[in-house]
Amino acid sequence: MNKKKALITGISGQDGSYLAELLLGKGYEVYGFVRRSGFESFERIKHVKDRISFVQGDLTDQSSIDEAIKKARPDEIYNLASQSFIPLSWEHPVLTADINATGVARLLESIRKFKPDARFYQASSSEMFGNAIESPQDEKTPFNPRNPYGAAKVCAYWMTVNYRRQYNMFACSGILFNHESPRRGTEYVTRKIANGVAAIKLGLQKEIRLGSLDAKRDWGFAGDYVKAMWLMLQQDIPDDYVIATGRTHTVKYFIETAFEYAGLNWKDYIVVDPELIRLTEETILTGNPSRAMKILGWKPEVSFREMVKMMVDADLETLKNKR
């Protein structure tokens, strides 16, 4: 029996690395779609890099996407690539739209032309709900994005829906709420906290500067969430699902949990910097994953506290090795 083949865009990112591990463990032949620029970092996938085939391309370049699809001939395609840092989307809104919205249209068009039987997963985001009119949010909650990143993701979501309807393609979106891990970039608040706690514990840093401590998020573990992505593409009928824990925690609680685990008093090290507070902070985003739980049989397995401890432990280990 031939191995299933999967193509992952954004394979070098947090989600891409966990998904690559999952698929390799299931016996897939995995292809990674990487940029030609040479700036790609393979740190997150260095332990499995030799088991992955790479195809070069860019979501802003249609011809390179076409060549990647024709070369890999994948059974499943997971589009995890995006410009995903929200503050940067305000600085570069056109680039964000070109990658996160038009890039998805290019990818869908390439699949339609060269591998129409492939199953497609689009990484959608809770940022699409933005200033949500209801809480918790589910698959029927209207989108109301508050930043260019969220707006571009809404466009990509509807592009995916329309290709599914128009061309009978197996195309679906996972509307993922915040998901973290030790592989999260240090520009994100959760990793900034975990890394800062580890550095303070080791005497390498004196404080952590943050924005609002009252902001709330529905935080889950990235390793759990990639399982939901895979499950979506194993269904008989393509559809869209909210993936979340259904519980929110404040940034302050994340801080308290991390510092408590390290045996430190957070009040001695946290500095609130007004410059870091988002001007368009969303209302509370809490996902309702009941449909995914019922139809996909998915559920989050790693608890919030376990995730925080995992992140702090990983940064302690990394910083000790560097020192």
Side-chain angles (χ1 to χ4, degrees):
M1 183 177 177
N2 292 331
K3 283 186 174 183
K4 270 190 178 181
K5 293 194 288 185
L7 175 67
I8 304 172
T9 74
I11 195 168
S12 61
Q14 170 188 254
D15 292 7
S17 66
Y18 282 111
L19 180 61
E21 286 178 351
L22 177 72
L23 296 180
L24 287 168
K26 292 182 179 295
Y28 278 66
E29 185 177 340
V30 175
Y31 287 80
F33 183 84
V34 296
R35 289 169 294 179
R36 292 168 172 164
S37 63
F39 296 115
E40 203 89 21
S41 170
F42 296 107
E43 181 66 25
R44 296 182 181 94
I45 54 171
K46 62 183 179 182
H47 57 298
V48 293
K49 186 170 179 283
D50 293 342
R51 300 169 61 194
I52 297 169
S53 300
F54 294 96
V55 290
Q56 290 189 331
D58 193 307
L59 288 183
T60 63
D61 176 16
Q62 183 71 61
S63 63
S64 72
I65 299 171
D66 292 349
E67 289 305 311
I69 296 295
K70 287 190 283 188
K71 182 177 180 179
R73 304 291 299 167
D75 301 294
E76 298 175 2
I77 297 160
Y78 297 86
N79 182 39
L80 310 185
S82 72
Q83 190 302 99
S84 58
F85 192 46
I86 291 168
L88 193 61
S89 76
W90 284 109
E91 296 177 28
H92 301 286
V94 176
L95 176 63
T96 299
D98 197 18
I99 297 170
N100 296 6
T102 311
V104 176
R106 294 186 186 101
L107 189 50
L108 285 164
E109 187 62 7
S110 187
I111 296 167
R112 182 187 70 81
K113 290 188 294 185
F114 303 113
K115 197 63 169 68
D117 62 333
R119 297 189 167 204
F120 175 72
Y121 170 84
Q122 165 60 16
S124 292
S125 168
S126 60
E127 289 288 336
M128 300 191 306
F129 295 122
N131 190 19
I133 64 170
E134 61 185 16
S135 188
Q137 297 86 42
D138 60 22
E139 292 82 3
K140 295 181 180 180
T141 302
F143 299 136
N144 189 17
R146 293 290 300 279
N147 53 62
Y149 169 81
K153 284 290 188 179
V154 169
C155 177
Y157 170 89
W158 283 116
M159 194 66 72
T160 303
V161 169
N162 277 279
Y163 266 72
R164 180 169 72 217
R165 292 171 177 169
Q166 181 69 18
Y167 300 113
N168 199 30
M169 290 169 58
F170 195 108
C172 58
S173 290
I175 306 173
L176 272 57
F177 280 64
N178 292 64
H179 46 289
E180 317 298 319
S181 77
R183 301 177 192 175
R184 187 58 129 164
T186 53
E187 68 271 24
Y188 293 90
V189 66
T190 51
R191 182 73 193 291
K192 185 176 181 180
I193 294 167
N195 188 261
V197 168
I200 289 168
K201 181 70 173 179
L202 297 174
L204 303 174
Q205 189 172 315
K206 293 183 178 180
E207 65 181 29
I208 306 174
R209 304 184 73 84
L210 298 168
S212 173
L213 305 190
D214 297 322
K216 289 184 176 181
R217 292 290 183 274
D218 183 332
W219 278 305
F221 174 55
D224 288 340
Y225 284 38
V226 300
K227 295 174 186 175
M229 300 176 188
W230 177 78
L231 285 168
M232 287 182 212
L233 297 197
Q234 312 315 307
Q235 304 305 304
D236 293 331
I237 300 171
D239 210 342
D240 311 313
Y241 298 89
V242 164
I243 305 300
T245 70
R247 300 183 64 188
T248 58
H249 299 90
T250 62
V251 171
K252 181 181 176 182
Y253 186 66
F254 194 107
I255 292 167
E256 290 172 342
T257 304
F259 273 96
E260 178 187 335
Y261 180 59
L264 300 168
N265 185 347
W266 70 272
K267 294 179 181 178
D268 296 333
Y269 305 101
I270 295 295
V271 177
V272 175
D273 186 345
E275 293 291 321
L276 298 176
I277 297 176
R278 280 195 206 174
L279 295 178
T280 55
E281 187 63 58
E282 301 95 334
T283 50
I284 297 173
L285 293 178
T286 309
N288 178 358
S290 60
R291 192 162 171 272
M293 290 178 173
K294 179 180 179 181
I295 297 176
L296 303 179
W298 176 85
K299 65 178 180 180
E301 297 174 13
V302 176
S303 72
F304 175 81
R305 294 185 70 85
E306 288 171 338
M307 180 189 71
V308 175
K309 291 175 181 179
M310 184 192 305
M311 293 175 71
V312 174
D313 279 338
D315 278 323
L316 280 170
E317 186 66 23
T318 299
L319 292 175
K320 284 176 183 176
N321 291 337
K322 283 184 179 179
R323 190 170 64 170

mmCIF file of all heavy atoms in Angstrom, residues 96-117:
data_model
loop_
_atom_site.group_PDB
_atom_site.id
_atom_site.type_symbol
_atom_site.label_atom_id
_atom_site.label_comp_id
_atom_site.label_asym_id
_atom_site.label_seq_id
_atom_site.Cartn_x
_atom_site.Cartn_y
_atom_site.Cartn_z
ATOM 1 N N THR A 96 0.489 41.391 4.353
ATOM 2 C CA THR A 96 -0.314 40.444 5.126
ATOM 3 C C THR A 96 -1.474 39.915 4.291
ATOM 4 O O THR A 96 -1.750 38.707 4.278
ATOM 5 C CB THR A 96 -0.848 41.114 6.408
ATOM 6 O OG1 THR A 96 0.261 41.524 7.221
ATOM 7 C CG2 THR A 96 -1.721 40.167 7.207
ATOM 8 N N ALA A 97 -2.135 40.800 3.546
ATOM 9 C CA ALA A 97 -3.252 40.382 2.700
ATOM 10 C C ALA A 97 -2.766 39.515 1.542
ATOM 11 O O ALA A 97 -3.422 38.529 1.167
ATOM 12 C CB ALA A 97 -3.987 41.605 2.159
ATOM 13 N N ASP A 98 -1.604 39.851 0.989
ATOM 14 C CA ASP A 98 -1.082 39.093 -0.156
ATOM 15 C C ASP A 98 -0.746 37.659 0.243
ATOM 16 O O ASP A 98 -0.981 36.718 -0.518
ATOM 17 C CB ASP A 98 0.163 39.789 -0.704
ATOM 18 C CG ASP A 98 0.518 39.319 -2.108
ATOM 19 O OD1 ASP A 98 -0.348 38.730 -2.772
ATOM 20 O OD2 ASP A 98 1.670 39.530 -2.526
ATOM 21 N N ILE A 99 -0.197 37.478 1.446
ATOM 22 C CA ILE A 99 0.162 36.139 1.913
ATOM 23 C C ILE A 99 -1.057 35.408 2.470
ATOM 24 O O ILE A 99 -1.368 34.280 2.077
ATOM 25 C CB ILE A 99 1.261 36.212 2.992
ATOM 26 C CG1 ILE A 99 2.553 36.803 2.413
ATOM 27 C CG2 ILE A 99 1.533 34.822 3.586
ATOM 28 C CD1 ILE A 99 3.608 37.125 3.459
ATOM 29 N N ASN A 100 -1.760 36.051 3.392
ATOM 30 C CA ASN A 100 -2.810 35.379 4.157
ATOM 31 C C ASN A 100 -4.135 35.230 3.421
ATOM 32 O O ASN A 100 -4.930 34.356 3.756
ATOM 33 C CB ASN A 100 -3.058 36.118 5.470
ATOM 34 C CG ASN A 100 -1.854 36.094 6.396
ATOM 35 O OD1 ASN A 100 -0.781 35.630 6.027
ATOM 36 N ND2 ASN A 100 -2.021 36.618 7.596
ATOM 37 N N ALA A 101 -4.396 36.094 2.453
ATOM 38 C CA ALA A 101 -5.665 36.035 1.721
ATOM 39 C C ALA A 101 -5.447 35.605 0.272
ATOM 40 O O ALA A 101 -5.866 34.522 -0.142
ATOM 41 C CB ALA A 101 -6.367 37.390 1.778
ATOM 42 N N THR A 102 -4.762 36.443 -0.499
ATOM 43 C CA THR A 102 -4.532 36.114 -1.907
ATOM 44 C C THR A 102 -3.694 34.858 -2.057
ATOM 45 O O THR A 102 -3.886 34.069 -2.991
ATOM 46 C CB THR A 102 -3.849 37.295 -2.621
ATOM 47 O OG1 THR A 102 -4.548 38.501 -2.328
ATOM 48 C CG2 THR A 102 -3.841 37.087 -4.128
ATOM 49 N N GLY A 103 -2.775 34.639 -1.127
ATOM 50 C CA GLY A 103 -1.949 33.430 -1.164
ATOM 51 C C GLY A 103 -2.783 32.168 -1.080
ATOM 52 O O GLY A 103 -2.464 31.151 -1.716
ATOM 53 N N VAL A 104 -3.854 32.211 -0.315
ATOM 54 C CA VAL A 104 -4.750 31.053 -0.194
ATOM 55 C C VAL A 104 -5.516 30.844 -1.495
ATOM 56 O O VAL A 104 -5.716 29.709 -1.937
ATOM 57 C CB VAL A 104 -5.719 31.239 0.995
ATOM 58 C CG1 VAL A 104 -6.706 30.088 1.074
ATOM 59 C CG2 VAL A 104 -4.935 31.360 2.297
ATOM 60 N N ALA A 105 -5.913 31.934 -2.146
ATOM 61 C CA ALA A 105 -6.581 31.829 -3.440
ATOM 62 C C ALA A 105 -5.642 31.192 -4.468
ATOM 63 O O ALA A 105 -6.062 30.343 -5.263
ATOM 64 C CB ALA A 105 -7.031 33.207 -3.919
ATOM 65 N N ARG A 106 -4.385 31.599 -4.449
ATOM 66 C CA ARG A 106 -3.401 31.009 -5.368
ATOM 67 C C ARG A 106 -3.260 29.506 -5.111
ATOM 68 O O ARG A 106 -3.213 28.703 -6.046
ATOM 69 C CB ARG A 106 -2.040 31.685 -5.195
ATOM 70 C CG ARG A 106 -1.978 33.149 -5.602
ATOM 71 C CD ARG A 106 -0.550 33.677 -5.533
ATOM 72 N NE ARG A 106 -0.508 35.104 -5.774
ATOM 73 C CZ ARG A 106 -0.396 36.035 -4.826
ATOM 74 N NH1 ARG A 106 -0.294 35.663 -3.562
ATOM 75 N NH2 ARG A 106 -0.372 37.316 -5.133
ATOM 76 N N LEU A 107 -3.196 29.147 -3.853
ATOM 77 C CA LEU A 107 -3.029 27.743 -3.489
ATOM 78 C C LEU A 107 -4.247 26.916 -3.907
ATOM 79 O O LEU A 107 -4.113 25.828 -4.484
ATOM 80 C CB LEU A 107 -2.793 27.644 -1.980
ATOM 81 C CG LEU A 107 -2.377 26.308 -1.387
ATOM 82 C CD1 LEU A 107 -1.199 25.694 -2.133
ATOM 83 C CD2 LEU A 107 -2.016 26.492 0.095
ATOM 84 N N LEU A 108 -5.437 27.421 -3.638
ATOM 85 C CA LEU A 108 -6.661 26.714 -4.026
ATOM 86 C C LEU A 108 -6.762 26.569 -5.545
ATOM 87 O O LEU A 108 -7.170 25.522 -6.055
ATOM 88 C CB LEU A 108 -7.886 27.468 -3.497
ATOM 89 C CG LEU A 108 -8.150 27.339 -1.994
ATOM 90 C CD1 LEU A 108 -9.119 28.421 -1.536
ATOM 91 C CD2 LEU A 108 -8.696 25.959 -1.650
ATOM 92 N N GLU A 109 -6.356 27.599 -6.259
ATOM 93 C CA GLU A 109 -6.412 27.549 -7.714
ATOM 94 C C GLU A 109 -5.432 26.516 -8.260
ATOM 95 O O GLU A 109 -5.732 25.789 -9.212
ATOM 96 C CB GLU A 109 -6.118 28.937 -8.287
ATOM 97 C CG GLU A 109 -6.301 29.076 -9.784
ATOM 98 C CD GLU A 109 -7.730 28.836 -10.259
ATOM 99 O OE1 GLU A 109 -8.655 28.685 -9.433
ATOM 100 O OE2 GLU A 109 -7.906 28.773 -11.494
ATOM 101 N N SER A 110 -4.274 26.421 -7.637
ATOM 102 C CA SER A 110 -3.286 25.434 -8.050
ATOM 103 C C SER A 110 -3.786 24.015 -7.789
ATOM 104 O O SER A 110 -3.618 23.120 -8.628
ATOM 105 C CB SER A 110 -1.964 25.672 -7.309
ATOM 106 O OG SER A 110 -0.955 24.836 -7.795
ATOM 107 N N ILE A 111 -4.426 23.819 -6.646
ATOM 108 C CA ILE A 111 -4.996 22.509 -6.324
ATOM 109 C C ILE A 111 -6.084 22.159 -7.329
ATOM 110 O O ILE A 111 -6.160 21.029 -7.835
ATOM 111 C CB ILE A 111 -5.565 22.498 -4.885
ATOM 112 C CG1 ILE A 111 -4.446 22.705 -3.867
ATOM 113 C CG2 ILE A 111 -6.299 21.187 -4.604
ATOM 114 C CD1 ILE A 111 -4.945 23.019 -2.462
ATOM 115 N N ARG A 112 -6.932 23.128 -7.633
ATOM 116 C CA ARG A 112 -8.020 22.900 -8.592
ATOM 117 C C ARG A 112 -7.479 22.449 -9.947
ATOM 118 O O ARG A 112 -8.040 21.555 -10.592
ATOM 119 C CB ARG A 112 -8.839 24.180 -8.767
ATOM 120 C CG ARG A 112 -10.021 24.019 -9.716
ATOM 121 C CD ARG A 112 -10.705 25.345 -9.986
ATOM 122 N NE ARG A 112 -9.898 26.238 -10.804
ATOM 123 C CZ ARG A 112 -9.801 26.168 -12.139
ATOM 124 N NH1 ARG A 112 -10.463 25.221 -12.796
ATOM 125 N NH2 ARG A 112 -9.068 27.027 -12.798
ATOM 126 N N LYS A 113 -6.384 23.047 -10.365
ATOM 127 C CA LYS A 113 -5.840 22.753 -11.694
ATOM 128 C C LYS A 113 -5.020 21.465 -11.747
ATOM 129 O O LYS A 113 -5.079 20.721 -12.735
ATOM 130 C CB LYS A 113 -4.973 23.923 -12.163
ATOM 131 C CG LYS A 113 -5.758 25.183 -12.496
ATOM 132 C CD LYS A 113 -4.872 26.242 -13.137
ATOM 133 C CE LYS A 113 -3.815 26.766 -12.197
ATOM 134 N NZ LYS A 113 -3.027 27.877 -12.798
ATOM 135 N N PHE A 114 -4.258 21.208 -10.684
ATOM 136 C CA PHE A 114 -3.260 20.136 -10.772
ATOM 137 C C PHE A 114 -3.478 18.948 -9.833
ATOM 138 O O PHE A 114 -2.906 17.890 -10.039
ATOM 139 C CB PHE A 114 -1.854 20.716 -10.538
ATOM 140 C CG PHE A 114 -1.495 21.809 -11.492
ATOM 141 C CD1 PHE A 114 -1.337 23.109 -11.046
ATOM 142 C CD2 PHE A 114 -1.334 21.544 -12.841
ATOM 143 C CE1 PHE A 114 -1.014 24.127 -11.934
ATOM 144 C CE2 PHE A 114 -1.006 22.555 -13.740
ATOM 145 C CZ PHE A 114 -0.851 23.853 -13.285
ATOM 146 N N LYS A 115 -4.298 19.096 -8.774
ATOM 147 C CA LYS A 115 -4.534 17.970 -7.861
ATOM 148 C C LYS A 115 -5.906 18.138 -7.213
ATOM 149 O O LYS A 115 -6.039 18.256 -5.984
ATOM 150 C CB LYS A 115 -3.433 17.933 -6.787
ATOM 151 C CG LYS A 115 -3.328 16.585 -6.045
ATOM 152 C CD LYS A 115 -2.950 15.443 -6.952
ATOM 153 C CE LYS A 115 -2.601 14.181 -6.166
ATOM 154 N NZ LYS A 115 -3.780 13.605 -5.497
ATOM 155 N N PRO A 116 -6.968 18.130 -8.034
ATOM 156 C CA PRO A 116 -8.315 18.431 -7.529
ATOM 157 C C PRO A 116 -8.855 17.424 -6.519
ATOM 158 O O PRO A 116 -9.805 17.724 -5.799
ATOM 159 C CB PRO A 116 -9.179 18.456 -8.798
ATOM 160 C CG PRO A 116 -8.420 17.629 -9.784
ATOM 161 C CD PRO A 116 -6.973 17.864 -9.487
ATOM 162 N N ASP A 117 -8.253 16.224 -6.455
ATOM 163 C CA ASP A 117 -8.720 15.237 -5.486
ATOM 164 C C ASP A 117 -8.019 15.361 -4.138
ATOM 165 O O ASP A 117 -8.320 14.620 -3.201
ATOM 166 C CB ASP A 117 -8.534 13.825 -6.037
ATOM 167 C CG ASP A 117 -7.070 13.488 -6.296
ATOM 168 O OD1 ASP A 117 -6.273 14.416 -6.547
ATOM 169 O OD2 ASP A 117 -6.716 12.297 -6.250
#
